[in-house]
Amino acid sequence: MWKKNYSRREFVKKNSLTGLGALVAMGVTPSVFAGFTKNADVPAILGGQPVRTMDWPGWPVWDSATDEKQVLEVLRKGVWCRVGVEQSVVADFEKKWAETLGARRCLAVVNGTNALIISLRMLDIGGGDEVIVTPYTFVATISAILEVGAMPIFVDIDPETFQIDPEKIEKRITPRTRAILPVHILGLPVNIIRIMEIAGKHNLIVVEDACQAWLAEVNHQKVGTFGNAGCFSFQNSKHLAIGEGGAIVSDDDEFMDMCHSYHNCGRAYGKMVDPVGGNYLIRANNLRMTEYQAAIGLAQLKRLEGHTAIRNENAAYLKSQIKDIPGIIPYKLYDNVTRASFHLFPFRYKKELFEGLPREGFLKALSAEGVPCFGGYGGTLNTMPYLDDAFRSKNYRKMYPAEMLDFQKFVEQNKCPENDRVCNEEAVWLFQSMLLGSKSDMNDIAMAIAKVQKNAGMIKAKI
Ligand SMILES: Cc1ncc(COP(=O)(O)O)c(C=O)c1O
């Protein structure tokens, strides 16, 4: 439930500050702070009054009319697994998610990680294959490539958009390249049109990691529906929050039948129970979603469109309010993006324009003003030991020539300096649920950033 309760004192404070936030938001220079009361003018990190003390919208959101009712119905029915059920809740969820995206088919699975693994495996990506990917992602994207025995090849990001830079992809294509795995990271679409062009030219498979990009669109088409397969996550922090859960979408019936079979112990598609005499078609796994998960998914789906609209409106407004604050560079969307999902609201922080205050100091100071924020992916996935662990494994040693498994050489060849800078120095993320607030909430954020900006020198000297 959203935590929207606040005391009268907080209400009065909020409304008086909101007026000031609006001024900053309107581009009034920080000299406006001369009118602040002394304590409010002092950065909260140095003991002053924070811009905001109210709670932000919480996450996840649910209610008794839909979520509780639908979960209880499953509980009371006593059928909690899709196996052997003619019309399961999971199948209903799959139908609705496919319809929502404009895809022919959907398969619900245990999580986004396995949605990616199943897709790669069923598209026959494996040992000896190279898969082009961004380092600016959650580790699961790369783990999925390693889990099928393929080799991740890292391509740097465009720092303006935080996405894989399509113009750097072709240089990294080799005779071993089989696939591109673009990630619509932070819920901002990649330039999928350009990526599909490159994939077409080089005859490459495309698996979209849309695990953070529910309902995002490029040219009015939902992301996840451009490539051979699109993968989604419904983990707790996600906009369609189930706790855990994932999905694959595609228009390719043969591929989807194979995915279905793989996630259901190798049984033929449509056979949810063991055939008489047994007839397991492929070596497989059990990665089925439960009926409870699907019930929550169906309930959450009813809110997704409304929430996405609010997030888009607030993100555009907040961007307009902070873009002129020196040292703040908000995200940029590609021209063909017709909608983003804003799993996070990202901007880049330039410490040179904050009197040299390092990003960590900025994050602490902004948080102290009542605006929770963080620096995002804290390490660079193209340099971490998990890669070396895969390279040292028996399977990798059998599948790849030794020079490809030299970790130092790999790190050297997979350098991504733009990603390094964004991860280590510049990125600042605001949580998705903050974008479900009001315009005055967005003004609070803008005002807090401007306040830290104005006082950056003093903060740097004192913390
Ligand atoms: C970009 C990305 N890919 C893959 C995943 C994996 O999804 P899951 O956590 O459902 O396994 C996530 C989840 O955080 C993600 O953000």
Side-chain angles (χ1 to χ4, degrees):
M1 299 289 173
W2 292 12
K3 293 185 224 146
K4 269 282 174 195
N5 303 326
Y6 41 87
S7 67
R8 189 183 164 277
R9 193 171 58 87
E10 284 168 331
F11 178 82
V12 170
K13 177 160 64 85
K14 176 184 163 47
N15 283 287
S16 62
L17 289 175
T18 297
L20 195 55
L23 287 175
V24 172
M26 276 161 18
V28 177
T29 61
S31 65
V32 70
F33 290 101
F36 260 32
T37 65
K38 201 154 193 289
N39 197 31
D41 204 16
V42 175
I45 195 166
L46 302 179
Q49 183 165 324
V51 167
R52 181 184 171 101
T53 52
M54 274 202 326
D55 282 335
W56 292 93
W59 193 260
V61 182
W62 74 93
D63 63 44
S64 50
T66 53
D67 308 59
E68 286 183 21
K69 184 167 166 282
Q70 282 180 256
V71 174
L72 282 173
E73 267 169 25
V74 169
L75 178 76
R76 287 172 183 151
K77 215 154 85 187
V79 180
W80 303 338
C81 165
R82 76 183 302 180
V83 170
V85 182
E86 199 56 37
Q87 191 52 45
S88 64
V89 186
V90 178
D92 281 352
F93 175 72
E94 290 172 341
K95 187 162 174 282
K96 287 257 162 55
W97 188 236
E99 275 169 16
T100 303
L101 297 185
R104 187 148 74 228
R105 296 268 296 270
C106 167
L107 174 71
V109 294
V110 288
N111 53 40
T113 308
N114 276 286
L116 289 164
I117 294 171
I118 300 169
S119 299
L120 292 170
R121 201 178 282 282
M122 294 302 106
L123 289 162
D124 200 26
I125 309 290
D129 296 335
E130 293 180 356
V131 178
I132 286 179
V133 70
T134 172
Y136 201 66
T137 183
F138 180 57
V139 67
T141 313
I142 319 301
S143 304
I145 298 171
L146 297 172
E147 276 294 300
V148 300
M151 181 63 74
I153 299 295
F154 292 98
V155 167
D156 210 351
I157 58 167
D158 173 353
E160 303 256 296
T161 61
F162 296 85
Q163 309 300 315
I164 191 168
D165 185 340
E167 299 319 319
K168 292 184 177 144
I169 289 177
E170 282 192 288
K171 276 187 236 116
R172 302 289 280 139
I173 293 176
T174 73
R176 287 173 178 268
T177 311
R178 286 280 321 285
I180 307 177
L181 207 172
V183 186
H184 304 280
I185 202 67
L186 316 181
L188 315 180
V190 299
N191 191 348
I192 192 71
I193 303 295
R194 182 74 188 108
I195 288 172
M196 293 307 291
E197 249 171 46
I198 297 166
K201 182 172 156 198
H202 297 272
N203 198 22
L204 301 175
I205 283 163
V206 175
V207 173
E208 291 177 73
D209 182 337
C211 284
Q212 298 187 1
W214 324 260
L215 305 195
E217 293 173 1
V218 171
N219 292 338
H220 301 285
Q221 182 180 338
K222 299 282 188 298
V223 307
T225 66
F226 287 86
N228 299 71
C231 298
F232 293 86
S233 167
F234 308 128
Q235 181 268 341
N236 224 60
S237 66
K238 306 302 200 293
H239 300 189
L240 208 163
I242 296 182
E244 297 284 1
I248 304 165
V249 297
S250 175
D251 287 347
D252 181 339
D253 284 322
E254 200 183 324
F255 163 71
M256 290 304 287
D257 289 355
M258 291 284 287
C259 290
H260 202 289
S261 182
Y262 184 83
H263 106 299
N264 187 31
C265 311
R267 295 170 180 122
Y269 170 61
K271 298 266 181 290
M272 290 308 295
V273 287
D274 290 326
V276 179
N279 189 17
Y280 300 103
L281 300 179
I282 54 173
R283 94 207 111 87
N285 212 324
N286 171 7
L287 300 165
R288 293 184 302 258
M289 180 181 269
T290 66
E291 294 284 272
Y292 292 119
Q293 287 170 291
I296 298 175
L298 282 168
Q300 291 290 324
L301 197 43
K302 291 182 185 140
R303 297 183 188 96
L304 187 60
E305 172 56 37
H307 279 177
T308 307
I310 296 170
R311 280 194 201 92
N312 271 268
E313 209 176 293
N314 275 332
Y317 178 71
L318 178 57
K319 182 179 180 179
S320 72
Q321 303 309 300
I322 64 171
K323 71 179 175 27
D324 296 326
I325 299 177
I328 300 295
I329 310 174
Y331 68 88
K332 186 181 143 196
L333 297 175
Y334 291 105
D335 289 345
N336 54 24
V337 172
T338 43
R339 198 183 210 191
S341 30
F342 293 103
H343 184 48
L344 292 138
F345 180 100
F347 58 87
R348 281 183 299 144
Y349 171 78
K350 293 283 185 190
K351 73 171 181 194
E352 319 74 274
L353 295 168
F354 274 72
E355 313 249 2
L357 175 69
R359 178 181 61 171
E360 297 323 307
F362 171 80
L363 294 171
K364 281 186 196 153
L366 190 58
S367 300
E369 297 297 340
V371 176
C373 55
F374 65 123
Y377 296 125
T380 46
L381 283 179
N382 47 331
T383 64
M384 289 188 196
Y386 73 104
L387 293 164
D388 198 21
D389 177 59
F391 297 172
R392 288 171 188 274
S393 68
K394 190 155 62 170
N395 284 355
Y396 270 69
R397 279 186 281 124
K398 288 196 170 168
M399 290 185 300
Y400 294 90
E403 70 268 17
M404 280 186 78
L405 302 179
D406 179 330
F407 185 55
Q408 289 316 319
K409 214 186 225 171
F410 178 90
V411 170
E412 198 56 39
Q413 286 167 350
N414 283 272
K415 281 198 165 147
C416 295
E418 300 291 352
N419 179 66
D420 294 349
R421 206 177 58 247
V422 166
C423 284
N424 298 329
E425 295 168 36
E426 293 188 349
V428 178
W429 293 357
L430 304 178
F431 297 94
Q432 55 106 347
S433 57
M434 294 165 78
L435 294 178
L436 293 176
S438 63
K439 269 217 168 98
S440 87
D441 291 336
M442 301 305 110
N443 287 337
D444 284 352
I445 298 171
M447 184 166 66
I449 295 172
K451 184 177 170 191
V452 175
Q453 214 301 327
K454 183 196 170 205
N455 293 289
M458 193 201 312
I459 296 169
K460 185 180 171 216
K462 295 199 176 163
I463 63 168

